[in-house]
Amino acid sequence: MLPLVNSNQDFACFKLVVAYDGTKFKGWQRGNGRTVQGVIEEALAHAIAQARHGGPVPTADELMVVGAGRTDAGVHAEGQVASIRLPAGTDGAAVFIALNLNLPADIAALSMTPADPRFHARYLARQKTYRLTIIEGPVGDPFMTDRSWRVGETLDLGKMREAAASLVGERDFSSFTADKAKKNKLRNLSS
C-alpha cells in the first residue's frame, strides 16, 4: 500500500502510462539533472493546479510518481507504467488533459486510469518487455541513431538465437542489482 505523506488528506490512486524519448533525460528516477520522473512530477503538479482552478500545488512527495522500473540515461519507453496519487476530489480526466498540455514534446501521457489504493507500479509489475535494436552492415539509419546499436559487420542470427534461447527460464540476477536486501532476485525470462 502506498503510504500517505499527510494522513489528514485523502488521495486517489491512478495508473499512468507514458511514452518518452529518453535522449535528453538522465534516466527515470528523480535526481541530478533532467529526469523523466522529475519532469512528470512538475507537469503533474501544474496540471492539478489548473484542473482545480488554483489552490495549492502538490509537492513531488505528495504526488508519489512511482515508475514500474528505472530506465537509464538515454533509454526510451513506449508504455512505461507509473502509479500516481492525486488529491481526493480532483477531476482525473481534467488532470490528464492538462498533464499532456504541460509535458514537453519528448514525453506523452498515453492513459491515466483510476487504480486501487494499494496499486504500486514497481512492486506489482508482472512483466516488463525490453527491446534492443541492432542495425548491422555498412549503412546506418539516421532515424534510428538514438534508438539502436550499429555494428559494421554481418551478424549470425542463427547463432544469436541459439545463444539467447539458453537465457530463457528462471535465472538469478543477483549480480545485476544494487538492492542486496531484496531476498528474491530470481526472474523469469519468457522469450
Side-chain angles (χ1 to χ4, degrees), residues 18-143:
V18 296
Y20 52 88
D21 177 330
T23 304
K24 296 179 182 176
F25 289 101
K26 293 189 174 188
W28 170 270
Q29 190 170 5
R30 182 181 350 128
N32 293 331
R34 186 175 188 249
T35 66
V36 177
Q37 181 185 25
V39 169
I40 290 173
E41 287 171 345
E42 184 178 332
L44 188 57
H46 290 293
I48 291 168
Q50 290 167 343
R52 296 164 94 191
H53 306 290
V57 176
T59 67
D61 287 335
E62 290 172 330
L63 296 172
M64 288 197 61
V65 176
V66 177
R70 299 177 193 165
T71 56
D72 292 330
V75 173
H76 315 292
E78 295 177 353
Q80 171 113 10
V81 175
S83 46
I84 63 171
R85 296 188 319 188
L86 300 182
T90 304
D91 181 351
V95 168
F96 176 71
I97 292 167
L99 175 60
N100 273 305
L101 292 172
N102 282 281
L103 286 170
D106 49 2
I107 301 180
L110 304 177
S111 66
M112 191 175 97
T113 54
D116 185 280
R118 296 168 298 204
F119 176 64
H120 192 288
R122 180 175 171 205
Y123 297 127
L124 296 178
R126 292 185 188 148
Q127 179 178 335
K128 298 176 187 177
T129 300
Y130 297 88
R131 181 177 57 234
L132 307 173
T133 303
I134 301 171
I135 296 178
E136 66 173 347
V139 179
D141 181 342
F143 297 104

Side-chain angles (χ1 to χ4, degrees), residues 1 4 7 14 16 28-29 42 91 99 114 124 127 132 134-135 141 153 156 163 167 171 176-177 179 182 189:
M1 178 166 221
L4 295 177
S7 60
F14 286 83
L16 177 68
W28 170 270
Q29 190 170 5
E42 184 178 332
D91 181 351
L99 175 60
L124 296 178
Q127 179 178 335
L132 307 173
I134 301 171
I135 296 178
D141 181 342
E153 64 269 11
D156 187 333
L167 299 173
R171 304 282 183 260
F176 292 96
T177 183
D179 187 357
K182 190 169 186 172
L189 286 171

